[in-house]
Amino acid sequence: MKEWKQLWIKPRPITDPEGHYNGFNPSVTVLPAGYQDEKGDVALTCDVIWERDDKVVLRDGTAIYTDIYRPVTQEKVPAVISWSPYGKSNIDVSWAYNEKDLSHLQKEEGVDPALWCAAGYAVAHPDARGAYMSEGNIFHWGEPEGKDIYDYVEWLAAQDWCDGNVGMAGNSYLTIAQWFAADQKPPHLKAIAPWEGQTDAYRETILQGGIANVAFPRQAVSVMHGNNYVDDMPSMAEKYPLMNDYWEDKRAVLKDITIPAYIVASYTNPIHTHGTFRAYREISSKKKWLRVHNSHEWVDFYKSENQKELLSFFDRYLKGIENDWEKTPKVRYAVLNPGGVDETNLVSEVFPPENVQYTKIYLSGSNGKLLPEPGENGEVSYDGKDPEAGVEFRITFEKETCIIGYPKVKFFVETKNCHDMDLFVEISKENKEGELTAWDCTPHNRYQEPLAGFEGKLRVSLRELNLELSSDLIPVHSFREPDYLNDGEIAEVEIGIRPIGLKWEAGETLVLRIGNEYRENLEKGIHLGTANNMGEHIIHCGGDKASYIQLPFLKEKK
């Protein structure tokens, strides 16, 4: 029996000025070399055919509409898809990129036809199901959207101008779509380039740790435009906060992805970091590359050197050019150093690097320190109803220390006068003067703010692990049924922390904070921990209740 009912909401009308819709106009136009959009920064360097509002009929009879930009040539060319519901043309997003070489023909977060058509590619801009004039309702990801993209890929491959080789590229939604398309295995999808994107909407974003956070998803839904309805995922999170088939369908089946993949990630994206690293770990492709940058997805994507590298990747796997792409290091990663200088393009065969050693550091209940060995039995507690309440534990490093990989914590917790608690856990860095340092990404875009902590959270009643999905390094929870705490009961909980690449100089301190809310949310007046409304929260330490944090330390090279 189905345990949920789909909730829908009306999107904005396509006539809304913020939709930047330029009208429904099935047509073919040749944009000549030298053409420049009035909002663009660069002119075309070759003649480009612009097909507007081509009709594509999906397997269930639904019609969607697509724009195609392709070079004027007698030769057949490969196609690169930018799939999303955010509009296929005339989107003014140049403010986001700090780059001044975009044509304004690019779809938001997608490749720019000015560059790619000149390089011998077609660029495909579909309006996903339900977006603008495309029929049906907008539905976020999952198998249904994967099947839509499958049909679209095969339609593109059959066009008389296409050589049958299709790829996908882009940030955010354009990345998420790639996971769900590639796990459907469309025959003509030959390579993907996912540039930061979640893979599990429940666990990684909207209900991470079983704790609802609907602000960003609601904002994302609010800017969609169409004639029918959109999947109201924020309301689904509020009405169905436990795992069900609806949420399971929004977890990509990454093991089924076998085609070449150039994956780009960062440590600092609150929406996409967990999923991008999960994808790198779990896809089955033997031809996969990971690059971890220290910027922001939009800025990084549109850097000219990164677009050039992306062209090289697709030249190899869509055009079949023997261009030495395989000599690209399998992993290039960054190490952030708040208050100092970041390191980038560090080379490894795997992530985390092979010379990483996972080590347990134990919480001391007597002095607030993090210790190499468990101490005596003890406990610390804080007020369960005060959003600002919490406890902190510290370790000061005597020499330069790098932590790179997947941290986690295991706590022994108890409550008094309540039966549940929301745990918010943060790893951060203090300088030698005892001041909290933050990695400052504000120059890169107008959305992200300085990052002070690498975080994880969990509603303790949802602590049950999914043993099939969990590993010794990365706990994954079931979120199926709550198991509330009884009086006097001590529960074991494991919480994964956001993937990290962070350096501490000699004399700097790692701070582990456990509390009722993240510091950043407190500064903004946000309180997500709705289970924290009464009682006392207790963390047991030492002895046979040795709570710890497990950290991936980079070992010194001999």
Side-chain angles (χ1 to χ4, degrees):
M1 180 178 176
K2 191 175 180 179
E3 54 191 276
W4 52 274
K5 178 182 178 181
Q6 177 66 53
L7 302 177
W8 302 98
I9 191 172
K10 287 288 289 184
R12 294 187 183 189
I14 63 175
T15 53
D16 173 30
E18 292 190 18
H20 300 285
Y21 186 52
N22 61 0
F24 185 70
N25 184 18
S27 58
V28 179
T29 304
V30 176
L31 304 176
Y35 168 85
Q36 184 170 352
D37 186 275
E38 61 181 9
K39 297 179 182 178
D41 299 310
V42 299
L44 296 179
T45 59
C46 68
D47 294 348
V48 172
I49 297 171
W50 178 21
E51 297 184 26
R52 290 183 61 181
D53 292 308
D54 283 350
K55 182 178 182 180
V56 183
V57 180
L58 305 175
R59 68 184 69 184
D60 66 352
T62 299
I64 66 171
Y65 293 92
T66 185
D67 285 7
I68 307 288
Y69 294 90
R70 52 189 178 88
V72 176
T73 176
Q74 296 301 310
E75 296 181 4
K76 294 188 174 187
V77 296
V80 176
I81 300 170
S82 299
W83 179 281
S84 78
Y86 295 131
K88 56 184 171 58
S89 58
N90 203 33
I91 305 300
D92 185 9
V93 291
S94 57
W95 53 263
Y97 304 133
N98 290 359
E99 289 287 313
K100 297 301 180 186
D101 55 358
L102 299 174
S103 71
H104 195 67
L105 300 177
Q106 77 279 359
K107 194 175 187 179
E108 182 174 1
E109 302 178 315
V111 299
D112 189 347
L115 172 65
W116 285 74
C117 290
Y121 289 85
V123 176
H125 286 178
D127 276 337
R129 178 187 295 257
Y132 292 85
M133 288 296 291
S134 289
E135 296 173 358
N137 298 321
I138 301 171
F139 191 77
H140 289 99
W141 317 309
E143 184 178 10
E145 187 160 46
K147 289 180 176 178
D148 284 356
I149 302 172
Y150 180 113
D151 294 348
Y152 182 72
V153 167
E154 297 308 298
W155 177 87
L156 276 177
Q159 300 307 296
D160 58 10
W161 51 262
C162 184
D163 68 3
N165 296 299
V166 179
M168 298 182 73
N171 305 137
S172 193
Y173 197 112
L174 284 69
T175 284
I176 302 168
Q178 293 178 63
W179 310 131
F180 290 96
D183 75 20
Q184 292 295 309
K185 296 182 178 295
H188 291 92
L189 183 62
K190 301 299 179 64
I192 56 175
W195 222 281
E196 301 204 49
Q198 66 184 28
T199 65
D200 182 333
Y202 185 109
R203 292 181 177 89
E204 296 164 7
T205 307
I206 194 168
L207 281 155
Q208 187 183 59
I211 302 168
N213 184 4
V214 301
F216 179 78
R218 200 171 294 288
Q219 188 273 337
V221 167
S222 75
V223 298
M224 294 182 180
H225 296 76
N227 294 320
N228 297 306
Y229 292 90
V230 58
D231 173 13
D232 189 359
M233 193 166 61
S235 293
M236 293 294 286
E238 292 170 336
K239 186 170 183 179
Y240 303 106
L242 298 177
M243 184 61 67
N244 59 22
D245 291 345
Y246 172 84
W247 296 113
E248 291 286 7
D249 185 56
K250 296 187 188 300
R251 180 179 173 89
V253 186
L254 296 170
K255 64 180 177 58
D256 290 344
I257 298 177
T258 57
I259 58 177
Y262 172 29
I263 301 171
V264 178
S266 72
Y267 307 117
T268 54
N269 193 313
I271 303 167
H272 300 312
T273 290
H274 281 287
T276 315
F277 280 95
R278 178 198 159 217
Y280 163 72
R281 296 192 305 272
E282 294 187 13
I283 68 171
S284 296
S285 176
K286 303 300 182 185
K287 296 180 178 180
K288 63 180 179 182
W289 286 263
L290 174 69
R291 183 172 63 81
V292 186
H293 63 87
N294 70 330
S295 179
H296 176 272
E297 59 184 290
W298 298 333
V299 179
D300 186 79
F301 184 71
Y302 285 104
K303 283 183 177 178
S304 57
E305 61 267 31
N306 294 339
Q307 285 292 297
K308 182 179 178 181
E309 185 170 272
L310 182 56
L311 276 168
S312 179
F313 170 74
F314 280 132
D315 281 350
R316 178 69 189 91
Y317 295 113
L318 297 189
K319 291 187 175 182
I321 298 173
E322 297 288 347
N323 59 4
D324 293 334
W325 169 264
E326 282 87 356
K327 294 181 180 180
T328 303
K330 285 291 189 179
V331 171
R332 289 165 290 170
Y333 66 96
V335 176
L336 307 183
N337 186 10
V341 179
D342 297 345
E343 297 177 72
T344 57
N345 290 312
L346 301 170
V347 172
S348 175
E349 281 296 306
V350 293
F351 186 91
E354 291 177 338
N355 57 331
V356 158
Q357 179 175 335
Y358 282 87
T359 303
K360 296 173 182 177
I361 309 293
Y362 296 89
L363 282 59
S364 170
S366 61
N367 57 16
K369 291 185 177 181
L370 293 169
L371 303 172
E373 300 291 338
E376 296 181 357
N377 280 64
E379 62 183 51
V380 294
S381 64
Y382 55 95
D383 186 348
K385 61 182 181 297
D386 177 3
E388 298 185 5
V391 291
E392 294 183 347
F393 299 85
R394 286 171 167 79
I395 181 170
T396 300
F397 296 115
E398 297 179 355
K399 57 185 178 181
E400 179 182 288
T401 300
C402 291
I403 296 175
I404 305 169
Y406 305 109
K408 77 168 185 178
V409 296
K410 182 175 181 178
F411 298 150
F412 293 84
V413 301
E414 181 185 357
T415 61
K416 288 184 178 178
N417 302 316
C418 59
H419 301 287
D420 205 355
M421 59 194 297
D422 289 337
L423 289 170
F424 291 81
V425 182
E426 296 177 86
I427 300 171
S428 55
K429 170 180 166 180
E430 288 179 346
N431 62 22
K432 297 175 185 178
E433 289 72 41
E435 300 165 332
L436 194 67
T437 62
W439 183 80
D440 190 2
C441 50
T442 52
H444 299 306
N445 72 100
R446 79 183 211 184
Y447 282 150
Q448 250 174 273
E449 298 174 355
L451 177 73
F454 290 76
E455 76 292 328
K457 59 185 175 183
L458 179 67
R459 179 156 292 166
V460 170
S461 61
L462 298 175
R463 63 192 176 277
E464 180 188 56
L465 292 174
N466 183 317
L467 298 180
E468 182 180 351
L469 301 180
S470 294
S471 70
D472 290 339
L473 302 181
I474 301 170
V476 181
H477 300 88
S478 298
F479 298 115
R480 281 283 177 181
E481 293 291 339
D483 180 10
Y484 296 103
L485 295 176
N486 299 312
D487 292 338
E489 178 183 3
I490 299 175
E492 298 181 32
V493 298
E494 293 189 38
I495 306 173
I497 308 294
R498 188 200 299 213
I500 193 172
L502 200 60
K503 176 187 286 188
W504 281 260
E505 307 286 357
E508 293 184 328
T509 298
L510 181 150
V511 182
L512 171 66
R513 184 179 189 275
I514 309 161
N516 289 331
E517 189 52 80
Y518 294 138
R519 280 176 297 219
E520 179 183 345
N521 285 347
L522 290 171
E523 292 172 2
K524 296 178 179 179
I526 298 170
H527 185 36
L528 302 176
T530 56
N532 297 330
N533 57 4
M534 64 178 67
E536 182 182 5
H537 294 175
I538 301 167
I539 312 293
H540 290 266
C541 309
D544 60 349
K545 302 291 185 296
S547 295
Y548 63 81
I549 179 170
Q550 181 171 280
L551 294 169
F553 287 98
L554 188 68
K555 295 186 290 186
E556 292 185 64
K557 294 181 180 179
K558 295 181 179 180

